[in-house]
Amino acid sequence: MERDSGRTGLLGLLRASGAGNTRCADCGAPDPEWASYTLGVFICLNCSGIHRNLPEISRVKSLRLDFWEHDLVEFMKKHGNLCAKAIYEAEVPPFYYVPQSKDCLVLREQWIRAKYERKEFVATSISHDACTSGSREGFLWKRGRDSKQFLPRQFILSARDGVLKYYTKEEIVDWFNAIRAARFHYLRTTFPTAPESELVPKITRSYFKEGYMEKTGPTHKEVFKKRWFSLDSQERNLIYFKDPLDAFETGRVIIGSKEHGYEVRASLPRGVKGRRWKAGLTIVTPKREFVFACENDREQKEWMEALNEIISQPMTA
Ligand code: ZN
């Protein structure tokens, strides 16, 4: 009797909308069928496996298969995912990557440990991890240039300089978020008036080269307009925006390979004149020439190098 009422009551609670219990408290997977009866959260099977490794903090039971004592059911009723979120995720930094069910075990485990074991995001916590300041120091196993073996190297991540100088395997998630913290810091100083909600999605973007250039149109007689360009080496795209913070690009140029007739020149085509900026750049494609002007010689050189590196790589199927 009691066993049945306990299970029915708990499942009813689980399905109740508005309690935040219809999704896993840790990864957001739908219809969680497990729960931590010490933390009072409903979680999915995968996350329950991680909780099982933290017996001092979390004890798990299956909603369907295990017996739920009356007092545990009452405890779950009083707590639940929204309640736990208010406590354990009170101060998740904007740059922190919150994993989802599709993410790898390392990311999900570190998220769960950070939340419940280290209590990094509890509001009253005064412990400030080095991670949140955007600076870290330590050893990194870096592959040697010639030996192909991984060698320990000391590296430093500095938010102020915007550079990564190190990491370790054990601390990879800390580093992952430290890098995000550094990038967030960079974006915030570069775009001081932009709201946080616009900057956060940009943390994950990492472009080969970014910056302003002026571009003219297909006839090369159009007025040169200043645009923000981002070169994605993986996708072989040079995309451009009216404003660096625009969500959608204005246009894109696909960067093919030398074998396919692509070429970049540090000049403007004969007879074409830039408006304000004089350091010309022409991307030659089999169909047309794309004409740009860089602010100075250094920018022109950087764009040339970045574009040439992509053009020299053969295209993969
Ligand atoms: Zn989960």
Side-chain angles (χ1 to χ4, degrees):
M1 268 302 274
E2 198 185 338
R3 181 190 173 106
D4 281 348
S5 68
R7 283 169 71 192
T8 313
L10 201 66
L11 286 169
L13 181 71
L14 170 67
R15 295 201 181 99
S17 59
N21 299 331
T22 54
R23 289 186 171 271
C24 172
D26 297 329
C27 75
D31 306 320
E33 297 205 330
W34 292 74
S36 165
Y37 60 86
T38 51
L39 294 168
V41 290
F42 294 83
I43 53 177
C44 72
L45 174 66
N46 287 337
C47 291
S48 77
I50 299 169
H51 279 251
R52 227 176 261 285
N53 293 329
L54 310 168
E56 270 89 70
I57 297 140
S58 185
R59 296 292 172 97
V60 295
K61 273 178 188 274
S62 163
L63 298 181
R64 293 188 186 282
L65 307 172
D66 288 320
F67 174 67
W68 285 82
E69 292 84 356
H70 180 73
D71 56 337
L72 292 188
V73 174
E74 287 306 306
F75 179 80
M76 293 307 293
K77 276 184 187 165
K78 278 204 200 86
H79 293 81
N81 292 2
L82 277 185
C83 173
K85 194 181 169 79
I87 298 166
Y88 295 104
E89 298 181 31
E91 290 183 352
V92 179
F95 60 81
Y96 197 95
Y97 181 74
V98 176
Q100 296 172 354
S101 54
K102 64 174 169 46
D103 285 313
C104 69
L105 176 67
V106 177
L107 276 177
R108 285 184 292 111
E109 181 178 346
Q110 289 309 311
W111 163 236
I112 288 167
R113 285 182 183 271
K115 253 169 87 169
Y116 307 116
E117 193 176 51
R118 298 195 297 273
K119 297 183 174 62
E120 282 180 22
F121 316 121
V122 171
T124 52
S125 170
I126 47 157
S127 72
H128 276 277
D129 195 80
C131 176
T132 53
S133 70
S135 297
R136 286 188 70 91
E137 279 189 57
F139 282 94
L140 166 70
W141 288 85
K142 184 183 183 299
R143 195 194 287 268
R145 219 172 235 283
D146 307 313
S147 67
K148 288 190 177 159
Q149 280 180 327
F150 283 86
L151 305 164
R153 298 279 165 82
Q154 196 175 8
F155 277 70
I156 297 159
L157 175 75
S158 163
R160 199 174 299 161
D161 303 335
V163 290
L164 170 68
K165 300 168 182 168
Y166 144 101
Y167 86 96
T168 70
K169 200 185 170 192
E170 293 76 18
E171 296 179 313
I172 195 156
V173 178
D174 279 359
W175 279 105
F176 176 69
N177 280 300
I179 291 163
R180 289 176 63 89
R183 181 144 172 87
F184 183 68
H185 173 85
Y186 161 77
L187 288 166
R188 213 168 36 186
T189 46
T190 311
F191 310 112
T193 57
E196 207 167 77
S197 59
E198 278 183 26
L199 298 181
V200 169
K202 297 192 186 297
I203 294 173
T204 41
R205 278 198 193 159
S206 56
Y207 291 114
F208 201 42
K209 159 99 183 119
E210 280 185 292
Y212 284 109
M213 286 192 287
E214 291 184 337
K215 79 174 279 292
T216 179
T219 71
H220 304 167
K221 290 188 167 52
E222 296 84 351
V223 175
F224 276 78
K225 286 178 185 156
K226 188 176 164 185
R227 294 284 180 260
W228 178 263
F229 290 82
S230 298
L231 182 61
D232 185 331
S233 61
Q234 233 100 67
E235 300 290 323
R236 306 188 76 121
N237 275 327
L238 177 65
I239 55 180
Y240 54 97
F241 304 84
K242 273 204 180 108
D243 180 280
L245 288 174
D246 283 351
F248 300 102
E249 69 211 48
T250 311
R252 64 172 59 204
V253 181
I254 293 172
I255 311 297
S257 70
K258 208 162 45 189
E259 291 77 20
H260 290 85
Y262 285 78
E263 191 191 324
V264 58
R265 294 179 191 145
S267 60
L268 298 171
R270 196 179 289 269
V272 176
K273 277 206 157 138
R275 192 168 57 135
R276 293 179 306 145
W277 293 352
K278 306 295 174 205
L281 188 100
T282 304
I283 299 175
V284 182
T285 78
K287 286 202 177 132
R288 62 170 271 205
E289 292 183 356
F290 293 88
V291 179
F292 311 90
C294 307
E295 189 172 9
N296 52 46
D297 293 351
R298 187 177 55 85
E299 275 292 299
Q300 182 196 43
K301 186 167 169 276
E302 282 183 19
W303 279 112
M304 285 294 294
E305 281 171 5
L307 287 160
N308 267 324
E309 195 164 327
I310 298 175
I311 288 170
S312 66
Q313 283 163 16
M315 315 251 304
T316 49

